[in-house]
Amino acid sequence: MSDKAPLKEYITECPSCQQRVTATVQAYNEFSPDNQFEFKRYLLAECRLCYQPLLLEELQDSESWRRDIVCVWPTPPRALAETIPEVLRREHFEARTCFKSKAYTATVVMVRRTLEGVCTQHGINKKPLYKAFEEMNSIGLIEGRLLEWAQELRVLGNEGAHFTGKPVTRQDASDAIALAEALLDYLYVFNEQFLKFKERRKKAAEMAEKAAQRAASEKGNAENSASSK
C-alpha cells in the first residue's frame, strides 16, 4: 500500500449540484478488498458549492493512486434511457432541476408539461389533458393503473399551475418525478422491449414452422422415391 496521502481537493461530480465541482477531503481510509495487489481508498469529502457530504472512491494501481475519483454516495440521479425522445428527457430534466432547487410547485408543473409532451409525441392532441389520457387508454398505449397515475399527476400539475393557496409538498413533488419516470419507462423502454421480444418470438416460431414443413416435405419425397423403386 502506498504511503502517499490523498490530495486535499478533488474534482468530481456532485449528485446534488449535478455538475463537476471541487470537493474538499475531510478524512479517508485505505483497505484491500479482494487481494494484496489492489487497494481502494474512500474519502469523506465536502462539495465546496453546496456543502453536500460526499463519499469518494479511489483505486490504486501498483504504487500510484488513480486520480479519476468516483462519487459512490449519494448516488446520482438515474439517467433516462436514450429511447425516450430527447424533448421529453429535456422537460423531465427541468422538473428535476426545479426539485433540486426546492421549487416544488414548479416541479409538478414541469411534470405536467412532460405528460403533455408524451401525448403530443403519440399524435394525441385532445383537450383538456384528461381526454388525451383517456384516448391513450382506449387505443392501448396505457392501461388502468398507468391511466390512474397519469390522471393523478395531471391533477397535481393543475394545482401547481393555478393559485389555490395550498403548497405543493416535497413528497408530492418527489412522487410526481418518480411516477413520471415510470410512465416514460413503460412507454419508451419496457413496451418497446416487449414488442421486440414478441417479434423475435414470432420470427423464431415462423422459422421453426418452415423447418418442420421442409423436413416433412423431404421425408415425403424420400418415401415417394422409395416406393417408386
Side-chain angles (χ1 to χ4, degrees):
M1 183 180 297
S2 172
D3 294 329
K4 189 174 182 180
L7 300 177
K8 293 183 179 180
E9 293 182 341
Y10 287 86
I11 302 298
T12 187
E13 293 284 338
C14 174
S16 294
C17 297
Q18 295 185 23
Q19 59 181 298
R20 293 187 69 78
V21 299
T22 300
T24 304
V25 175
Q26 308 291 329
Y28 71 97
N29 81 324
E30 301 173 0
F31 77 106
S32 176
D34 300 314
N35 56 64
Q36 59 180 334
F37 302 108
E38 181 184 78
F39 296 96
K40 289 185 178 181
R41 182 154 66 189
Y42 286 97
L43 316 172
L44 180 61
E46 180 183 72
C47 172
R48 292 185 60 184
L49 189 60
C50 70
Y51 305 107
Q52 165 71 49
L54 305 172
L55 181 62
L56 310 178
E57 181 184 76
E58 188 179 24
L59 300 180
Q60 182 186 33
D61 286 334
S62 184
E63 289 299 313
S64 63
W65 289 95
R66 301 179 193 173
R67 294 309 182 191
D68 50 336
I69 292 290
V70 177
C71 181
V72 294
W73 186 90
T75 55
R78 181 178 67 91
L80 294 181
E82 292 293 325
T83 52
I84 298 173
E86 193 274 336
V87 64
L88 298 181
R89 285 185 278 123
R90 185 173 64 244
E91 293 288 320
H92 194 65
F93 175 78
E94 289 195 27
R96 285 179 171 176
T97 301
C98 291
F99 182 80
K100 182 185 68 174
S101 302
K102 300 182 180 180
Y104 303 133
T105 299
T107 299
V108 299
V109 172
M110 288 306 306
V111 166
R112 190 183 190 282
R113 279 175 55 95
T114 305
L115 297 180
E116 290 176 345
V118 167
C119 295
T120 301
Q121 288 290 308
H122 286 88
I124 299 173
N125 297 296
K126 280 192 173 181
K127 303 294 182 183
L129 187 56
Y130 79 86
K131 289 190 176 180
F133 290 149
E134 289 176 349
E135 183 172 343
M136 290 183 70
N137 176 246
S138 68
I139 62 179
L141 286 173
I142 56 177
E143 299 167 0
R145 181 56 60 87
L146 288 173
L147 174 62
E148 183 180 356
W149 288 0
Q151 295 290 27
E152 287 296 326
L153 290 176
R154 175 189 62 81
V155 171
L156 184 59
N158 286 345
E159 292 177 1
H162 304 287
F163 179 77
T164 63
K166 179 182 176 182
V168 175
T169 66
R170 183 184 188 281
Q171 188 61 60
D172 280 347
S174 177
D175 290 344
I177 289 177
L179 290 173
E181 287 182 9
L183 187 63
L184 292 171
D185 282 340
Y186 175 83
L187 289 170
Y188 294 102
V189 181
F190 302 130
N191 194 44
E192 288 294 321
Q193 187 174 354
F194 180 62
L195 291 176
K196 290 178 181 179
F197 168 75
K198 287 204 304 182
E199 184 63 25
R200 288 196 305 270
R201 295 274 294 175
K202 181 181 177 182
K203 288 182 178 180
E206 290 174 350
M207 291 177 62
E209 183 179 357
K210 288 180 180 179
Q213 291 175 350
R214 185 165 57 250
S217 176
E218 291 174 353
K219 181 179 179 182
N221 291 338
E223 291 176 348
N224 291 335
S225 177
S227 63
S228 64
K229 291 182 180 179

